[in-house]
Amino acid sequence: MIAVAELGDKTQLLTFGLATKYSARVVIAAVACASALLMALAVLFGGLLNRFVPIIYIQTIAGILFIAFGFWTLSSREEDEDVPSTVNRSPFWLVFTAFILAELGDKTQIATLALTAQYGSPLQVWVGATLAMIAVNTLGALAGKWTKDLIPARAVKLVGAAMFIIFGLWTLGELFVW
């Protein structure tokens, strides 16, 4: 159920976009860790986050960050990635944070919460939900890597930046649909 809910979801598209910029291995590792944490939160704490932090704030922050990441992608130069930086800009933590922000309160988290409530087996639900998230998002990351290898870097950069900006606008736009 979780894998089906995640197919074509915004976080799978996010994983795809991140894998066009960063190593698929790093993206998959960060998404796996973020998924394990998020599914654990869904299983353990259920609706507490949504009770104390209104989803409007989470969506607003996520939308703004994705738009900012899109513009940051446009402004970065390819040669910058070959120069050692004095500031540690770990792609792992960027992907981890972006994925968590995108997935908080998402349908897969809600489905995980519902499955736990229905079946009362938190460990089994957590393992199943986490593995489903990792499997589906690994497909997204591999598709992103494949795209990066076949398409010129400039085109990937423009499409990736556009995806993040559109994703940010989409996230912010959902605020007005509610």
Side-chain angles (χ1 to χ4, degrees):
M1 178 174 154
I2 300 300
V4 172
E6 185 66 9
L7 280 173
D9 191 55
K10 63 184 177 184
T11 47
Q12 188 184 33
L13 297 174
L14 174 67
T15 301
F16 173 89
L18 288 167
T20 63
K21 182 156 181 67
Y22 302 110
S23 158
R25 188 175 311 156
V26 170
V27 171
I28 292 167
V31 166
C33 291
S35 293
L37 175 63
L38 287 164
M39 294 305 110
L41 289 173
V43 167
L44 296 174
F45 299 109
L48 287 179
L49 182 64
N50 288 335
R51 174 180 276 163
F52 293 114
V53 180
I55 195 69
I56 191 168
Y57 296 127
I58 295 168
Q59 280 187 290
T60 301
I61 291 168
I64 291 168
L65 285 174
F66 291 128
I67 292 168
F69 187 69
F71 284 113
W72 176 68
T73 299
L74 284 175
S75 68
S76 68
R77 293 177 293 168
E78 279 76 15
E79 60 267 20
D80 290 346
E81 295 174 12
D82 297 331
V83 178
S85 174
T86 56
V87 177
N88 184 10
R89 297 184 307 188
S90 170
F92 177 90
W93 292 111
L94 177 78
V95 173
F96 181 86
T97 304
F99 191 86
I100 283 183
L101 286 172
E103 186 64 27
L104 276 176
D106 198 51
K107 63 186 173 197
T108 49
Q109 262 203 316
I110 294 166
T112 301
L113 172 67
L115 287 171
T116 303
Q118 183 178 359
Y119 295 109
S121 180
L123 181 61
Q124 290 176 341
V125 172
W126 175 73
V127 169
T130 301
L131 291 176
M133 292 289 290
I134 292 169
V136 171
N137 284 292
T138 294
L139 293 174
L142 293 175
K145 179 194 178 313
W146 174 74
T147 301
K148 178 172 80 173
D149 292 343
L150 290 178
I151 299 174
R154 176 90 175 129
V156 169
K157 179 179 177 176
L158 292 174
V159 170
M163 281 179 63
F164 283 110
I165 292 168
I166 290 168
F167 182 60
L169 293 171
W170 176 14
T171 303
L172 292 174
E174 287 180 337
L175 296 173
F176 299 106
V177 174
W178 296 96

